[in-house]
Amino acid sequence: MTDEHYLPQAPSGTHDVLPPASARWEALLVIFADLAERYGFALVHTPMFEDARVFRRGIGEASEVVGKEMYEFTDRGGRSLALRPEGTASVVRAFVQHRPATPWRAWYATPSFRYERPQAGRYRQHHQVGVEALGTDDPDLDVEVIALASHFYDALGVTQRQLRINSMGDPECRPAYVDALRAFLAAHSAELCEEHEERYSLNPLRVLDCKKASCVLVTQAAPMIDAALCDGCAEHHRRVVEGLAAAGIDAVPDPRLVRGLDYYMRTTFEFSSSALEGSQNAIGGGGRYDGLAEALGGPATPGIGFGIGIERVLLACDAEDAFVIEPPRPEAFVVDVTGGEAARDLVEALRNRGIFVERSYDDRSMKSQFKAADRSGAPLALVLGRDEVESGSVTIRRLREQSDQVTISMTELLARAEETGTIL
Ligand code: HAM
């Protein structure tokens, strides 16, 4: 398309979040922040891009997220940078760089960029709220992190959900398990799907996650990791499962749950919504990454966290008719028929006292201002006519009920706002 015919639009796989829908995003973030802070997490912001090696080393060269989906670019100084495809690697990079005291608990809300095939629930820029906790491998922390995610869904009203949990083992037991799985797949490679027939050997664990009927069938008889865990991993997993049960959180053990990022070790988990379509039904996931800080050049430091896709979880809410948020409405709409200066001063004075008020601009007719007042949803109109302006008063008219209007002094109105935080 020539530049002349180009009509600017948001890039494919991205979207604008505008009012009134944005009111839900705002409410979601407040709920998440409150909950995360109650669990001892504090807000962190890290740059939206990093040296590409942070993600290569952190998430793993062989993962799809890094190998196929990362937005990489060279800046004007010749540096190889990448937009963050997820939150964990950056937060752990910040931990390694600043070495805060442990346990260190960070929460975040961040856009994430992945060059995926755009479809409902799968975007090139999506947004996550998440937490990361570094400095202890106590299984109680796994329970806390999973409980926090679970209470967040509760708070939004997402009830049709399932939590699956697994252990990915550790460097002591995983290599032998992966070898055994690879040997099993080698013996059945001709029966695997087209992609995995060729690629199973590179990352055999991914075959367990393949949704194609052929792979599902073959792997039914494959060795599973739960039977191959070393004593340390088995005990850790037992404690997590027990802790979740004690917290009243249903978790389904799923030895096929292998997540797409290579840093995971021991506990992994995923929440899915049964109200959403199969391949886009993951509404959040996470796990332990006890080797990640070391991989990024820091001291060996265990860690665990999760990321929840904001768009996905809102889709799950839609599917359940949950988390319906009304955008905030002004308490009052100022109608000024004297030219607008009185409205200018009154809205400023009220807003200064914490009141949400609206007004019209451009010296509209009284009729048009009352129409706008109606549309705004405000229960009150504060009318400023010549008499009011001359006497320093304001007439209050209730817009949603039949009642007489009253005229009070401006001083009284402002004092009321100041004292009570409302003029209703
Ligand atoms: P993830 O499973 O790759 O994990 O992503 C977390 C969540 O982000 C997914 O469950 C899904 O809700 C959402 N999501 C992922 N990709 C997309 C997409 N293309 N479009 C829309 N939503 C998407 C992580 O990113 C890890 N950092 C989670 C974690 C934190 N593990 C430990 N700490």
Side-chain angles (χ1 to χ4, degrees):
M1 199 191 305
T2 60
D3 262 7
E4 197 187 329
H5 294 109
Y6 168 66
L7 196 65
Q9 281 198 333
S12 173
T14 71
H15 52 251
D16 303 308
V17 182
L18 305 178
S22 56
R24 261 177 131 193
W25 283 62
E26 204 180 324
L28 178 149
L29 291 171
V30 169
I31 290 173
F32 190 78
D34 277 356
L35 202 51
E37 281 162 18
R38 206 185 310 157
Y39 276 80
F41 291 82
L43 175 68
V44 296
H45 276 306
T46 60
M48 209 90 84
F49 56 85
E50 298 273 351
D51 188 306
R53 285 171 291 191
V54 169
F55 304 121
R56 291 191 180 289
R57 289 187 194 164
I59 302 171
E61 202 85 52
S63 67
E64 288 209 347
V65 168
V66 168
K68 293 192 190 158
E69 297 172 354
M70 204 154 72
Y71 277 89
E72 272 192 85
F73 59 99
T74 306
D75 77 0
R76 290 170 194 269
R79 299 170 196 89
S80 172
L81 301 172
L83 297 185
R84 77 156 56 115
E86 53 103 54
T88 311
S90 314
V91 170
V92 176
R93 192 273 308 141
F95 171 82
V96 167
Q97 186 174 332
H98 303 286
R99 309 278 173 98
T102 57
W104 189 63
R105 280 176 279 198
W107 74 267
Y108 52 85
T110 179
S112 306
F113 306 87
R114 299 183 187 179
Y115 193 80
E116 303 216 55
R117 195 166 65 78
Q119 51 199 294
R122 195 172 290 280
Y123 312 106
R124 291 188 174 158
Q125 176 177 336
H126 72 277
H127 298 78
Q128 290 187 15
V129 284
V131 302
E132 311 296 348
L134 285 115
T136 166
D137 63 1
D138 190 323
D140 287 354
L141 187 62
D142 305 31
V143 176
E144 284 186 25
V145 162
I146 297 172
L148 163 51
S150 185
H151 292 315
F152 176 62
Y153 297 119
D154 286 341
L156 299 185
V158 177
T159 58
Q160 295 172 36
R161 62 175 204 262
Q162 194 193 40
L163 164 63
R164 287 172 302 134
I165 184 161
N166 192 19
S167 173
M168 304 288 291
D170 67 5
E172 191 184 327
C173 52
R174 186 155 59 190
Y177 169 70
V178 172
D179 285 347
L181 180 62
R182 188 180 284 112
F184 173 88
L185 295 174
H188 296 85
S189 62
E191 300 151 55
L192 296 173
C193 77
E194 221 171 292
E195 184 192 347
H196 288 123
E197 185 183 351
E198 299 265 315
R199 292 173 59 88
Y200 75 88
S201 174
L202 211 62
N203 187 352
L205 291 169
R206 293 240 55 86
V207 183
L208 295 178
D209 200 30
C210 180
K211 304 284 183 291
K212 301 259 167 55
S214 50
C215 285
V216 173
L217 195 68
V218 171
T219 53
Q220 263 163 15
M224 289 292 159
I225 193 152
D226 48 352
L229 296 177
C230 60
D231 289 349
C233 288
E235 174 60 9
H236 186 97
H237 193 54
R238 190 190 64 72
R239 290 268 314 273
V240 176
V241 169
E242 198 182 272
L244 289 174
I249 296 168
D250 285 336
V252 181
D254 182 1
R256 282 176 179 267
L257 177 68
V258 292
R259 301 195 10 89
L261 309 155
D262 291 351
Y263 48 60
Y264 289 118
M265 209 182 273
R266 293 195 163 173
T267 308
T268 50
F269 56 93
E270 203 159 274
F271 289 89
S272 51
S273 159
S274 44
L276 293 179
E277 281 297 315
S279 58
Q280 269 80 249
N281 68 359
I283 52 173
R288 278 208 161 268
Y289 41 80
D290 294 349
L292 179 54
E294 223 173 342
L296 293 177
T301 314
I304 181 166
F306 65 73
I308 290 177
I310 297 181
E311 291 86 352
R312 290 271 181 95
V313 87
L314 289 177
L315 285 172
C317 289
D318 289 341
E320 291 195 43
D321 282 330
F323 198 49
V324 178
I325 298 290
E326 290 294 328
R329 295 185 187 291
E331 282 195 15
F333 196 99
V334 176
V335 173
D336 177 0
V337 290
T338 66
E341 285 171 19
R344 177 196 66 197
D345 298 342
L346 180 56
V347 294
E348 178 60 15
L350 285 170
R351 287 171 183 164
N352 249 323
R353 287 162 177 77
I355 313 290
F356 177 17
V357 279
E358 271 297 2
R359 57 165 292 194
S360 292
Y361 300 91
D362 305 319
D363 200 14
R364 295 278 155 89
S365 70
M366 176 140 97
K367 192 171 160 207
S368 146
Q369 291 189 50
F370 270 107
K371 259 197 193 152
D374 254 347
R375 270 199 308 273
S376 77
L380 299 182
L382 302 179
V383 188
L384 296 166
R386 208 152 303 283
D387 289 350
E388 282 87 353
V389 170
E390 268 165 24
S391 62
S393 61
V394 55
T395 297
I396 304 176
R397 187 187 293 182
R398 299 207 167 264
L399 294 170
R400 321 221 155 254
E401 55 197 73
Q402 290 296 339
S403 68
D404 293 338
Q405 56 185 39
V406 289
T407 300
I408 65 169
S409 80
M410 194 70 90
T411 322
E412 193 188 332
L413 180 76
L414 295 181
R416 193 190 292 172
E418 182 101 40
E419 273 160 34
T420 62
T422 176
I423 53 170
L424 291 178

